[in-house]
Amino acid sequence: MLVVHGKPVVKTPTMERVDALAVTGGSHLHGSVRVTGAKNSVLKLMSASLLAQGTTVLSEVPAILDVEIMAELLRRLGCQVNHDLSAGTVTIEVPEVLEHRADYDLVRKMRASICVLGPLLARCGQVDVALPGGDNIGSRGLDMHIEGLQRLGAQVRSEHGYLIATGAELHGAQVWLDFPSVGATETVLMTAVTASGTTVIDNAAREPEIVDICTMLTAMGAHIEGIGTATVTVHGVPELKPVRHRTVSDRIVVGTWAVAAAITGGDVVIENAHAAHLEIALDKLVTAGADIDAGSDCIRVRMDKRPKAVDIVTLPYPGFPTDLQPQFIALNAIAEGAALVTENLFEARFRFVQELARLGADVRTDGHHALVRGRARLSSAPVEATDIRAGAGLVLAGLVAEGTTTVYGAAHIDRGYAGFVEQLQALGALVERV
Ligand code: EPU
């Protein structure tokens, strides 16, 4: 709310910035598209740079809003950050002495800001990070992050909306995660790399983005064993050095393009794509009727018929990724047959099906299950994206709906997909910003 001279000001519609995409259905996507580095890796790599004084250079950095927010956060911590959009690099100059506070105005814009927790505690002996609160895809607790830090010897408390962790002498420990949380694994990893002694993380997350950060930390001088497995062992070292690192390709963006090709009956070559990071999702597309050719760093997806419905169960990697669930619900919405979709990570991710229903999709949800009965056609309507992946799912549905679908809340999509509109246009889609 705006407050002028102590009086609240009611916002009129003209004061709101409208950000929406107009998507006209009916095109078959054709051509090639190149994917850059993963959002969910690069944000953590930027945070990991804090562990070493000096200049870190990251490449394959996507031109997305979340990278800008993370760059701003690092600047406030005392770093100089230069994001070269044309080169796709971020250069981070990390000073000897860092600030140790991540303010609410940034954390509320991007929950991933909490990934500075571990590095700042390791470097400064104290960190104050605003609590992110709930978001559009569920409550998303921090209990495993907190318990992990406590096991490594930190004192953690919450005060005035901030999580405050202190600990000048961190030590290695055995950490059992109740669930293979991506964020908690990263927090413990980034804290343990310079703690004294050995840390063993059991039930660690195994996502390609975890492997990516472990690869960067190893290049920085960290001693990590069991990378990419459920048991990761970290032998602490006194200090790390800055490095140059290439960000792993964004498997969720790759998966989104693969579904875009399949849903529109198109033929798309996705470059800088690693099929090994997406095995279950690609196998589901084959079951749906797509032809898939995977090369060493590209994937071609072709579809020449109406897709068949495919059941989905989201799980931590190597299970089916929750971040592709809305896109596959969109595919099932126009498929032949019915599919059962089970969401095991984020309870509120099904909110988007109410928007999909506005396009005529037949989806019923019950707890963490959704039953999607495929319809031969969808029809355009105005819809609202509530998060990044819901936005992608709605655009994909718009590509096959009759007429022009307006997807409001396009800023969500910009948080995760670099140049999405331009790339869709290059593949022949009728999409524009309004
Ligand atoms: N959880 C807890 N306590 C914790 C940590 C997690 O209860 O201490 C719960 C969460 O509430 C959730 C589940 O565990 O139900 C999974 O959370 P996880 O920590 O694995 O996810 P995250 O680190 O918060 C990252 C990605 C998400 C992606 C998930 C799962 C980033 C910035 N975000 O979130 O990406 O869905 O892993 O793969 O890396 C997106 O890109 O659209 C997105 C939401």
Side-chain angles (χ1 to χ4, degrees), residues 186-304:
E186 289 161 346
T187 293
V188 176
L189 259 173
M190 288 194 270
T191 314
V193 280
T194 54
S196 65
T198 297
T199 297
V200 179
I201 311 172
D202 246 322
N203 203 18
R206 291 177 279 162
E207 273 70 1
E209 296 77 28
I210 298 281
V211 173
D212 200 26
I213 194 169
C214 285
T215 306
M216 172 161 150
L217 289 169
T218 303
M220 291 169 81
H223 288 180
I224 307 175
E225 291 161 11
I227 295 174
T229 75
T231 305
V232 176
T233 304
V234 183
H235 304 286
V237 294
E239 63 175 12
L240 299 176
K241 60 179 190 306
V243 288
R244 300 179 78 90
H245 179 85
R246 179 189 160 125
T247 314
V248 70
S249 156
D250 196 320
R251 67 197 160 98
I252 303 303
V253 175
V254 172
T256 304
W257 287 121
V259 179
I263 201 171
T264 62
D267 181 354
V268 175
V269 176
I270 310 158
E271 293 166 10
N272 192 28
H274 307 303
H277 294 170
L278 264 180
E279 277 177 350
I280 292 194
L282 294 177
D283 186 58
K284 292 286 175 187
L285 286 179
V286 170
T287 308
D291 284 324
I292 297 193
D293 297 314
S296 59
D297 74 343
C298 70
I299 303 173
R300 181 177 182 185
V301 182
R302 282 172 291 173
M303 184 77 139
D304 57 7

Side-chain angles (χ1 to χ4, degrees), residues 36-43 60 62 64 209 247-251:
T36 55
K39 166 182 85 78
N40 289 347
S41 199
V42 78
L43 301 173
E60 290 290 345
I64 53 172
E209 296 77 28
T247 314
V248 70
S249 156
D250 196 320
R251 67 197 160 98

